[in-house]
């Protein structure tokens, strides 16, 4: 992980105090509900919360924390302008990486990290009387891996997802851990190659019997990423394009900026990828593009 990201990572304990001020204008929350894997929640609440606001769940990279990710991203000015709330949870285990490997987290209501994150989101919807059609998830690196997992295990909670430099839901299934220090390198090295149908079957197995919609999915990856290697972009796109029944339509070069290629499936409203030429790990967060994808701009 880049030195700058390690510098941002702040050491947190598991306990937090409800409504206690925290760094970066965040508020620590402790009583958000069942917490099976000992996660920490801090959030950004704008000075004026909108009536029935949107909620964004923003997931940090390995070695990071919620406060670190709030500094790495720039969602707060948009939250101030529009009145939405951003949840910045933290994973205190396995080198501060999200568990994206165990059966517990890869199962709806399984008692893993995904379960705790879903409980945070449900708490926030209730607390802020949020619009349940405007709940979104995003993240970088390990947070992008968990974004894929959340879209698969709790699709009913999210309208859309956008994430950076991650891997498909279940790519690390069965690994002894989820961090660079503990994980089987097969996934991160880009060797876990499946058909789209195989990936889609894996997604559906994470929430057996679910018949509803899945969140619209947008994913970004650097072509020079040698940490979570570039083939993982294609595996995510295989997964979600089959889930949505969309086929590749076209590439748009230099979109949204020079050196980036937008990979469009169908009409571009359900599955989109971005390939960033010369960019390694991690792709910088494009907040405006995320918020446009979410329908907030």
């Amino acid at each position: 992980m880049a030195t700058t990201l390690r510098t941002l990572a702040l050491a947190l304990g598991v306990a937090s105090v409800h409504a206690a001020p925290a760094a970066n204008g965040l508020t620590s929350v402790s009583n958000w509900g069942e917490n099976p894997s000992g996660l920490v929640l801090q959030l950004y609440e704008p000075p004026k919360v909108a009536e029935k606001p949107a909620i964004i769940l923003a997931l940090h990279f390995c070695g990071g924390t919620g406060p670190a990710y709030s500094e790495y991203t720039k969602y707060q000015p948009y939250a101030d302008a529009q009145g939405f709330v951003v949840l910045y949870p933290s994973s205190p285990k396995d080198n501060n990486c999200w568990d994206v490997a165990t059966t517990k987290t890869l199962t709806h209501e399984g008692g893993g990290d995904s379960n705790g994150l879903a409980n945070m989101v449900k708490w926030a919807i209730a607390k802020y009387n949020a619009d349940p059609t405007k709940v979104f998830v995003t993240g970088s690196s390990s947070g992008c891996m968990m974004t894929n997992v959340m879209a698969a295990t709790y699709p009913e909670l999210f309208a859309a997802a956008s994430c950076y430099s991650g891997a498909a839901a279940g790519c690390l299934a069965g690994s002894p851990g989820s961090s660079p220090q503990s994980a089987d390198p097969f996934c991160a090295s880009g060797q876990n190659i499946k058909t789209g149908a195989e990936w889609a079957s894996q997604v559906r197995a994470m929430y057996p019997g679910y018949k509803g919609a899945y969140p619209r999915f947008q994913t970004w990856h650097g072509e020079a990423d040698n940490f979570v290697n570039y083939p993982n972009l294609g595996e995510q796109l295989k997964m979600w394009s089959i889930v949505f029944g969309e086929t590749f339509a076209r590439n748009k070069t230099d979109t949204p900026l020079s050196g980036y290629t937008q990979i469009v499936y169908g009409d571009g409203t359900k599955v989109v990828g971005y390939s960033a030429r010369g960019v390694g790990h991690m792709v910088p967060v494009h907040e405006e593009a995320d918020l446009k994808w979410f329908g907030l701009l």
Side-chain angles (χ1 to χ4, degrees):
M1 190 67 64
T3 302
T4 54
L5 299 184
R6 289 198 182 102
T7 302
L8 284 174
L10 308 174
L12 287 183
V14 172
S16 59
V17 180
H18 180 60
N24 312 325
L26 305 185
T27 297
S28 295
V29 180
S30 62
N31 61 344
W32 45 267
E34 186 179 357
N35 186 7
S37 60
L39 304 180
V40 175
L41 174 59
Q42 292 171 304
L43 59 83
Y44 183 74
E45 180 181 302
K48 184 176 181 180
V49 178
E51 184 178 352
K52 297 189 73 66
I55 302 289
I56 297 177
L57 176 66
L59 303 171
H60 63 71
F61 37 78
C62 274
T65 62
Y69 202 55
S70 77
E71 289 188 5
Y72 183 72
T73 61
K74 298 294 183 288
Y75 293 115
Q76 286 95 319
Y78 298 98
D80 289 346
Q82 298 191 35
F84 62 77
V85 175
V86 188
L87 308 183
Y88 291 105
S90 300
S91 171
K93 299 176 182 177
D94 195 6
N95 300 287
N96 298 91
C97 298
W98 300 104
D99 170 19
V100 292
T102 68
T103 300
K104 285 184 176 181
T105 202
L106 296 175
T107 304
H108 182 80
E109 301 294 340
D113 279 3
S114 63
N115 202 162
L117 292 170
N119 289 344
M120 290 179 187
V121 171
K122 293 172 186 176
W123 168 86
I125 292 170
K127 174 178 173 57
Y128 293 101
N129 190 29
D131 184 341
T133 69
K134 294 182 179 179
V135 180
F136 310 100
V137 58
T138 187
S140 295
S141 191
S142 176
C144 183
M145 294 182 185
M146 181 53 89
T147 297
N148 276 266
V149 169
M150 294 306 295
T153 53
Y154 293 91
E156 77 282 11
L157 286 181
F158 303 103
S162 180
C163 69
Y164 300 82
S165 310
C171 185
L172 267 170
S175 170
S178 298
S179 71
Q181 295 82 358
S182 64
D184 182 331
F186 187 68
C187 171
S189 63
Q191 298 181 73
N192 195 355
I193 307 298
K194 299 178 186 288
T195 67
E198 287 171 332
W199 282 123
S201 177
Q202 198 161 303
V203 166
R204 295 184 183 107
M206 294 181 194
Y207 191 172
Y210 179 69
K211 302 298 184 184
Y214 283 84
R216 297 178 292 106
F217 209 92
Q218 173 175 275
T219 184
W220 308 66
H221 219 101
E223 295 178 13
D225 192 339
N226 294 315
F227 194 70
V228 179
N229 288 18
Y230 182 67
N232 283 296
L233 172 62
E235 298 309 294
Q236 292 175 77
L237 293 174
K238 284 184 198 175
M239 169 179 280
W240 294 110
S241 64
I242 294 298
V243 167
F244 280 105
E246 299 284 357
T247 57
F248 171 76
R250 64 192 181 279
N251 286 333
K252 295 177 66 176
T253 58
D254 296 325
T255 304
L257 69 164
S258 178
Y260 283 67
T261 297
Q262 184 188 53
I263 307 164
V264 180
Y265 287 77
D267 64 3
T269 62
K270 294 180 180 177
V271 183
V272 172
Y274 288 94
S275 180
R277 186 176 67 247
V279 176
H281 192 75
M282 300 181 312
V283 175
V285 173
H286 293 258
E287 293 88 355
E288 285 198 9
D290 289 343
L291 296 177
K292 288 178 181 177
W293 182 249
F294 296 161
L296 298 180
L297 281 182

